[in-house]
Every structure is written in structure tokens, then in C-alpha cells.
Amino acid sequence: MFIKSSAAALITLTVSLFLVIPVQAEQAPDSLFSERPKVGIAFSGGGAKGFAHIGVLKVLEEINMPIDYITGTSMGALVGGLYSIGYSPEFMQDLVLNLNWEELFSDEIRRRYMPMEEKYWDGQFLITLPFKSGQLRLPAGLVAGQHISMLFANLTWDFQHIRDYDQLPIPFACIATDLESGEAHVMRSGTLSESIRASISIPTIFTPVRIDGRMVVDGGVVRNLPVTDAYNMGADFVIGINVTEGLKMADSLRSIFDIMDQTIRFMMFDSVNEEAVKAGILINPDVGRFHILDFDKAQEIINIGEAAARNSYDQLKSLADSLNSMSAYTRRPVIQPEINNEVAISGINVVGLDYYSETQLRNELRIEIGSMADRTVITNAIERLFSLQYFHQITYDLSPSENGYQLNIKAVEREQSTFRFGFKYDNYTNATLLFNSTYKNLVTSSSTLRLTASLGLEPILDAQLIRYLGTGNSVGFQGRLNYELKKITLFNDQGERISSFDNNSTYAELLFFPVASSSVRIGGGIRGELYSASSAIGFLDLDQSWSNLNMLTAMIWYDNLNRTFFPVNGHSIMADVYRSVAFGRDAPVFLRADFKWRSYYSLSENVVLTNRGQIGFITGNNVPVHHQFFMAGDRSFFGLQRYEVNGTEIKWIQAGLRYEFIENIFVHPLFNIGNTQSLTDLNYAGQTYHWGWGLSFGMQTMIAPVQFIFSGSDRHNLQVGFSIGVLF
């Protein structure tokens, strides 16, 4: 029952009288209370609509409202939890206005920490599904919440050691829903960041959280306005802040977000009504026109919350003055988020590992027992582990020990097998489907097996096995078997097509890389290749029988681009050299060296300077056509057609400016110049060059990048290109 004792009704009545009859300090009803009545604040859930709580808190602070207990559900748990440990409404306002919510509500891996072999595949797939025992499985939620969990852990850094929420500056409780029993799970102890994360786990959007031995989701399912819980904590009077709206009419349900919002309202409607009548004062911000995902409208929602509190200003101010007249209320100290205290790491405890080696995890963590670490060091270490893609989620907390703090790592491992699907379309190859199956630790521990099929005009079949050696991902080897069909068209010096043919090639290679990290890989190995030309059209004398090449290879790959699509900063450099080894009288003998780079420099918030180029040469004889260099149209050199210019030497450079004139929508003018003439002839000024220009309009959508490309050159006045997805 929500009434704490038989005196509670009298308390409520007395407080209500304070709102009507002016009372002098010396007339405070000490006969009724031996001490000031305790005030609780109950914050409801409501997704982005919960930003209104911040506006209400501004007014409550302005009138110096005593707050003795805080309860919250979902977004109310986040706002209430942060306020309970000392964050000001102003800080929370700045936080929600400046957070990248799209990134936060994704499990996107920070590319800078991603292993090099994963960078190649980054962004190529639209769908990833786990499978086990030969059956595909749907995930428990769309988002595991890695970035959210890390944000909460960092925000609660100074209170990691407190496990009893009654010991926080303001005692706090938050609500989740037990999936097994369907009952409310009230969290008043544990790890604060984990409890808040559990309370905001909107079903199907976020994966459930295991906490206190239970599987829980968003508390709004059973108790979205936790007034009862504030009374249970010890409050004599509760102010409820409710951003839950009633059910919408059918004709107003126009989008998927409307349907989602209405479905959630069904689950919480009766409970909210029951709790609302128990509040001594109920504030209802008018946020009905907003959706639970309107995170980009934070300022407007905060303002509405403040306006709602000001509508009850006289009532709230009279209550605050009356309570303060009984006993002066001392505001708790405001937390200083810029302080990043170091702690001594006295031990490391890891839970949740079934497949991944704990020794490897500790090695990748790079935090030694006995060392000092702050939240930046620990956050970077956790992100580095998450980037390995062995975990759905990996989080941390700190527990006090005799010699400092124990670092507790909690891992939720990914399924060992996944199926992935991708799609792309462009002018050259039309539609192409990409299928991939990835198996972790199937062949041996610390191994990854990938089977890939690219089905389209130029099909590719590929199998890769990567195996790391030792306790870290710094040394390893790769075995690969690949088949590829390329439709190559050759042109004369006037840019006219003279022939075309299909080039079939199959190769097997074994590479050893003694240096491998998240930004560089250096390696070398051997490759054997079989190739043939078929379906030749035009004036081309090609041997259509199968030929073979045996090669020694070496490569250096450096990549620290901040993202795969439309990067803002960083460099990608690929240098590879291979030499064919003759095992037959007519076998081609040649050496091929190639150096490519891409660089991006942020000039302002929306302007990026782009630069790319290539230098390469081939020495030897009988070089197969598909091993020659091509200035390949808008995949590299804008203004030419694919395969239009080829040769055994190449040099070209490109520069441009990319401008993001609307969020995720870009315009990119650029210019390039180069040729396939001699590198050793230093009279470059006397050589003939091809030049070209491009104007690209790009958009980063939720599904895949889209680009429209206009280009021209010394050979073509205007060409138009279009692509969706990654050019794999």
C-alpha cells in the first residue's frame, strides 16, 4: 500500500494547508513532526520525452525544493540516477544536447580499434544473424547497448565503489521488469550504471540485461511511474513527474514510431494511472506530440518540462518554503565531471567467457595489476576488446579492495558462427549480392574462418582462415583460396573499345604477418595462381588455355581512417610487392610494386580535404593483362571509363574538398591527373597526361551509402554514375 503509515494522510493534508495558508517559521507544526517530512521524486519513463524531467529539476532547484529520495524508470532512471549522484540539470541539458544519439543507440565499433582484417569487411553487410546447430537465430534485441553501457559507466565513475544506493548523496532506486515473472524488479543496490542500463532496456530495441540473477527489461512495462517505490524508501510526500501520455486515436497512428509508441503505452497505461493518484503533486509535461525516439528535439522537450513545473510554481514554492522553514535543506555538492581520478588496480576479475581465452583478453586489456588507471584508460581498453568482434557487449565496474580497486570485466560473447548478407549496385556491374559465413574458433582457438560468395556480373568465391599465434593478436598467418571473374575491356589511345574478354583467376596463398595491430599489418608469403581468358571479343590475341603463376609476396597496410564511409580524418596506405618465380620455359617472370594511399584532413566541422593517388611499376616480360595497372574510372581516377587506360607503370594523384551541407549529405568536387608512362624517365613535364574531374553527391543512409557521380576528362565531356552500398 502506498500510504506509509496512519499518519501519512495527515501529513499530506498538512502540507496541502501550507500551500494555502501562509505559515511563519515559528508556527511550523512541530507537534505533528519531530523532523521535516521527507520528499521523494518519482520520474517516469518515456524515452526522449523524459528529457522533460531536466526542465522540471531546474525549477525544483530554483525554489530549493528538499529532495530526500529519487525513484525512476527508464529515462527517468537515467535522469534521476545522475541527479542523485550530483549532476546538475544544466550539465544534463548540455549532455543530452551534445550526445550523438544515433551512434549511442548502435553497437557500431570504433573503427580505429578494429583489427585490420575486420576493417576490410567493415560496412559491407546489411544484415548479420547468428546461427547455431545449422539454424539461423534472431537476436534478443536490435541493440546490445555497448556504447550506452560505457557512457553510464563513465558518468558514474566517482560512485563505482558504492553498491548500496541508500548511500548515494540522494538515496535512489530504479525499476526494471523481470522477464520470467513479469513483476517489477526494484534495484536499490548493485552497480549503478548497470541498474540504469537495465531500467532503459526497451523490449525488442535493447537486448535484456542479466542482473541479480534475473533477465530484465525496461521497468516501464510494469511500473512506469514509480511513486509507490518512493514511499517504500521512506518518503512522506512524493512529487511525480509523468511524461506518459494516454492512448492515441487510430487516425493519428501514421508511422512505425507511432505504432511502437502506442504498443508501449498499452503495457503501462493502467499502472501509470494507479501510481499517479498516489502522488502528492503530479506534474504532467505536455509532450504528447513527441515520440520516444525524438532525441533530436531535446531542447524543446526540456523547455516543456520547465514550463510544466512553472505552471505549478506557486504550489511547489509554497511547499518548498514550508518544508525549509521546518529544517533548512542543504543542497548536495555538484559533481565535477571534468575530474578524472586515477585508481590503483589491485586485481582483475573476468566473467562470461566460454570461448575466448582469458589470457588473450588480459593481454588485449593492457592494464597491469598494481598500475594506476583512470576512466579514459579503462574505456579505451574496453573499446579495444569490443572491437575484436568476439563480444556482443563487454562492460566494467570497479569494486573497492584493500589495496585499491578490483577491475571487474563482464563479457557477453557473440555466437561463434554468423551469417551476413550485403548488396550493392553500380553502373559497371549492376546488382551484386554478397553472402558470408564467419566461424570463430572453429578450426582452432584464436582462429577465424570466412566463406564468402559475391554473386553478380563479376562473381567472387573466397575462403579465408586467419589464425593468431601466442596470447595477443599481433602475430599470425592467413590462408586464402579465391576465385574471381573479371570482365575486362581494352581501349586504344583514342578511348575507343577494341576488345573485351573474361579473365578467370584462381589463387591460393599463405601469408605470415609478424606485425599486426589495429592500424598496421606487415607480412609476406607465397601465392600460386591459375588463370585463363575466355569469351574474347575484338582484336585480341590471348591464350585461352589455363596458365599458372607462382609468386613471392610482401605487403604493408596502414589504416587509421576514422570511418569507412565518408571519413573525416586519417590515412589508408597499401604497399605491396610480388615477384613471379619461373617454373616453366614460357612462364611469365616479372616483379610488380604498387603503392596506393588515401588521406583525409578535417578543415572545419563540415569541410574535409581529400587526397589520394597511386604509384606503381612492373618489370619483366609476358605480364598477364589482369596484373597490369588500370586507371579505373570513378573507383579511382574520375573521368575515365573502367579499364580505359592501362600499362605496366602508373602514377596519378587526386585532390578534392568534401562538404557536408546537411547532416550525412555530402557534395564532393575533385580533380585528378596522371598517366601510365615511364616512372624512370624523369622528364615528367614532357609526358602526356590524362586529367579528369568529378562531382559526387553522397548520402549516408541507415542502410548503405548512396552516391551520384558526374565526371569528365580529356576524353569524355560528361559521364554519370550511380552506386548504392560498398564497392566490394
Side-chain angles (χ1 to χ4, degrees):
M1 188 171 180
F2 79 92
I3 297 178
K4 181 183 172 185
S5 68
S6 59
L10 182 58
I11 294 170
T12 304
L13 176 61
T14 303
V15 172
S16 299
L17 289 174
F18 291 163
L19 310 182
V20 180
I21 304 173
V23 181
Q24 300 299 321
E26 63 270 16
Q27 295 177 318
D30 295 328
S31 59
L32 291 175
F33 303 103
S34 60
E35 59 181 19
R36 175 181 60 76
K38 302 297 184 183
V39 177
I41 305 290
F43 295 102
S44 80
K49 294 183 284 189
F51 293 151
H53 299 320
I54 299 172
V56 174
L57 281 173
K58 285 184 175 183
V59 177
L60 296 182
E61 285 213 334
E62 179 183 319
I63 63 177
N64 199 35
M65 175 66 73
I67 301 175
D68 302 289
Y69 302 100
I70 293 176
T71 58
T73 296
S74 198
M75 184 61 78
L78 175 58
V79 174
L82 294 182
Y83 192 74
S84 74
I85 61 175
Y87 284 105
S88 67
E90 290 72 24
F91 172 84
M92 287 190 276
Q93 176 173 309
D94 289 341
L95 178 69
V96 301
L97 290 177
N98 293 302
L99 278 175
N100 184 334
W101 291 95
E102 182 178 345
E103 180 181 284
L104 192 64
F105 284 98
S106 75
D107 292 323
E108 182 179 356
I109 294 171
R110 313 279 193 225
R111 195 176 188 277
R112 60 179 176 170
Y113 293 119
M114 196 178 291
M116 292 296 282
E117 72 270 12
E118 299 292 350
K119 288 182 179 182
Y120 175 81
W121 300 100
D122 183 40
Q124 294 197 21
F125 301 103
L126 303 177
I127 298 172
T128 298
L129 295 174
F131 68 89
K132 190 173 184 179
S133 301
Q135 293 184 336
L136 289 175
R137 300 190 175 191
L138 294 177
L142 298 178
V143 181
Q146 175 68 22
H147 298 323
I148 292 174
S149 295
M150 292 305 298
L151 173 67
F152 293 171
N154 289 335
L155 288 170
T156 60
W157 172 264
D158 290 326
F159 295 87
Q160 290 268 352
H161 61 288
I162 296 180
R163 298 308 168 94
D164 179 357
Y165 302 160
D166 285 346
Q167 302 304 311
L168 296 175
I170 300 177
F172 172 71
C174 58
I175 315 301
T177 301
D178 188 325
L179 270 180
E180 186 173 353
S181 67
E183 298 176 348
H185 178 54
V186 183
M187 294 171 285
R188 296 181 60 178
S189 63
T191 303
L192 182 60
S193 59
E194 187 176 48
S195 295
I196 295 173
R197 165 67 181 87
S199 186
I200 70 162
S201 299
I202 301 173
T204 70
I205 295 181
F206 294 106
T207 56
V209 174
R210 285 200 174 275
I211 192 168
D212 299 333
R214 304 165 185 255
M215 180 77 77
V216 300
V217 293
D218 195 302
V221 175
V222 291
R223 191 145 68 239
N224 199 49
L225 180 62
V227 174
T228 296
D229 305 283
Y231 284 117
N232 290 340
M233 292 180 72
D236 300 299
F237 189 88
V238 177
I239 299 172
I241 307 168
N242 179 34
V243 296
T244 313
E245 294 293 316
L247 299 176
K248 293 183 178 181
M249 301 300 292
D251 57 0
S252 66
L253 303 176
R254 300 186 181 92
S255 71
I256 185 173
F257 300 117
D258 292 327
I259 302 299
M260 182 188 304
D261 196 14
Q262 183 84 333
T263 303
I264 293 172
R265 292 184 194 200
F266 281 139
M267 296 185 285
M268 61 181 65
F269 187 72
D270 291 339
S271 169
V272 168
N273 287 339
E274 291 175 5
E275 293 290 309
V277 298
K278 301 175 185 179
I281 295 177
L282 185 65
I283 300 173
N284 291 294
D286 184 15
V287 291
R289 68 180 182 275
F290 298 99
H291 299 293
I292 61 173
L293 300 179
D294 278 341
F295 296 100
D296 59 332
K297 297 177 176 139
Q299 186 61 68
E300 188 177 355
I301 296 171
I302 291 171
N303 293 342
I304 289 173
E306 183 175 351
R310 294 197 180 282
N311 287 338
S312 301
Y313 186 86
D314 292 341
Q315 186 182 20
L316 292 168
K317 183 69 165 62
S318 296
L319 174 60
D321 289 347
S322 299
L323 293 170
N324 285 316
S325 71
M326 300 175 65
S327 175
Y329 177 62
T330 302
R331 182 70 55 193
R332 78 274 187 277
V334 176
I335 200 169
Q336 300 296 323
E338 67 275 8
I339 296 176
N340 189 9
N341 297 320
E342 286 189 331
V343 297
I345 303 299
S346 59
I348 299 174
N349 179 53
V350 181
V351 297
L353 296 183
D354 291 321
Y355 305 104
Y356 194 74
S357 163
E358 183 172 338
T359 302
Q360 272 190 291
L361 186 145
R362 288 173 179 268
N363 186 276
E364 287 293 332
L365 191 64
R366 301 176 196 172
I367 297 176
E368 300 294 332
I369 295 175
S371 66
M372 301 294 292
D374 59 22
R375 58 184 155 194
T376 301
V377 169
I378 296 177
T379 296
N380 290 341
I382 297 297
E383 287 197 2
R384 195 162 49 244
L385 288 169
F386 183 64
S387 73
L388 298 176
Q389 302 193 29
Y390 281 92
F391 308 101
H392 279 298
Q393 189 176 43
I394 184 162
T395 56
Y396 79 93
D397 66 74
L398 296 167
S399 56
S401 65
E402 184 176 348
N403 300 316
Y405 287 85
Q406 177 170 281
L407 176 59
N408 302 304
I409 307 294
K410 183 178 181 180
V412 180
E413 290 182 304
R414 289 182 182 271
E415 290 77 4
Q416 297 299 287
S417 304
T418 56
F419 170 80
R420 298 187 287 184
F421 168 77
F423 168 84
K424 66 106 174 165
Y425 177 89
D426 66 70
N427 291 55
Y428 293 123
T429 58
N430 299 322
T432 302
L433 303 179
L434 184 65
F435 301 92
N436 171 271
S437 294
T438 299
Y439 306 87
K440 301 277 188 180
N441 299 318
L442 176 66
V443 180
T444 64
S445 62
S446 304
S447 69
T448 301
L449 174 64
R450 289 187 175 90
L451 305 177
T452 305
S454 174
L455 305 181
L457 192 64
E458 295 184 328
I460 301 172
L461 301 176
D462 187 84
Q464 295 183 39
L465 174 65
I466 295 176
R467 169 75 161 88
Y468 285 104
L469 307 175
T471 57
N473 290 352
S474 58
V475 177
F477 71 84
Q478 171 182 294
R480 185 173 187 179
L481 182 63
N482 177 280
Y483 165 79
E484 182 174 4
L485 168 66
K486 285 186 177 180
K487 292 185 174 293
I488 297 177
T489 300
L490 299 181
F491 298 76
N492 61 20
D493 291 340
Q494 288 71 47
E496 299 169 335
R497 290 183 175 86
I498 58 173
S499 60
S500 62
F501 66 97
D502 292 348
N503 186 86
N504 298 275
S505 66
T506 301
Y507 69 81
E509 71 176 3
L510 182 64
L511 298 177
F512 174 70
F513 37 93
V515 178
S517 69
S518 60
S519 60
V520 65
R521 173 180 286 184
I522 301 175
I526 57 175
R527 173 190 291 187
E529 178 183 347
L530 292 172
Y531 64 94
S532 72
S534 62
S535 304
I537 300 174
F539 302 99
L540 184 64
D541 182 18
L542 285 177
D543 182 0
Q544 299 193 22
S545 64
W546 285 93
S547 303
N548 72 287
L549 287 173
N550 298 285
M551 292 172 280
L552 300 176
T553 69
M555 55 85 70
I556 301 175
W557 179 21
Y558 175 83
D559 187 329
N560 71 341
L561 298 178
N562 70 311
R563 60 193 187 201
T564 298
F565 308 130
F566 309 110
V568 174
N569 54 65
H571 310 272
S572 177
I573 299 171
M574 172 66 81
D576 66 85
V577 178
Y578 54 85
R579 178 179 179 82
S580 65
V581 180
F583 283 106
R585 180 183 302 175
D586 299 322
V589 177
F590 63 92
L591 179 137
R592 186 184 194 274
D594 190 16
F595 180 83
K596 300 176 184 176
W597 76 90
R598 290 188 295 148
S599 298
Y600 301 86
Y601 306 91
S602 179
L603 302 182
S604 69
E605 184 177 356
N606 299 316
V607 179
V608 175
L609 172 65
T610 68
N611 173 258
R612 66 187 301 185
Q614 180 181 9
I615 298 174
F617 65 88
I618 303 174
T619 62
N621 57 67
N622 299 327
V623 181
V625 174
H626 67 287
H627 281 279
Q628 295 180 20
F629 295 108
F630 291 89
M631 295 171 67
D634 57 24
R635 293 194 177 194
S636 57
F637 194 95
F638 281 65
L640 296 178
Q641 297 185 56
R642 192 181 185 197
Y643 300 125
E644 185 169 350
V645 176
N646 71 297
T648 57
E649 299 185 60
I650 192 169
K651 55 182 179 292
W652 62 269
I653 191 169
Q654 179 188 97
L657 285 176
R658 192 181 68 228
Y659 175 57
E660 185 177 9
F661 60 96
I662 300 175
E663 185 176 6
N664 289 327
I665 300 180
F666 308 85
V667 60
H668 188 186
L670 49 85
F671 179 82
N672 42 225
I673 186 170
N675 64 25
T676 54
Q677 297 181 26
S678 174
L679 287 172
T680 56
D681 179 3
L682 299 181
N683 183 25
Y684 291 160
Q687 295 183 0
T688 302
Y689 290 87
H690 296 288
W691 57 265
W693 60 268
L695 182 62
S696 170
F697 294 91
M699 179 168 57
Q700 179 59 63
T701 71
M702 293 180 63
I703 299 175
V706 177
Q707 291 192 85
F708 294 89
I709 301 167
F710 301 90
S711 64
S713 67
D714 57 307
R715 287 189 173 182
H716 307 283
N717 291 329
L718 179 65
Q719 297 186 119
V720 179
F722 173 68
S723 69
I724 302 175
V726 185
L727 299 179
F728 45 77

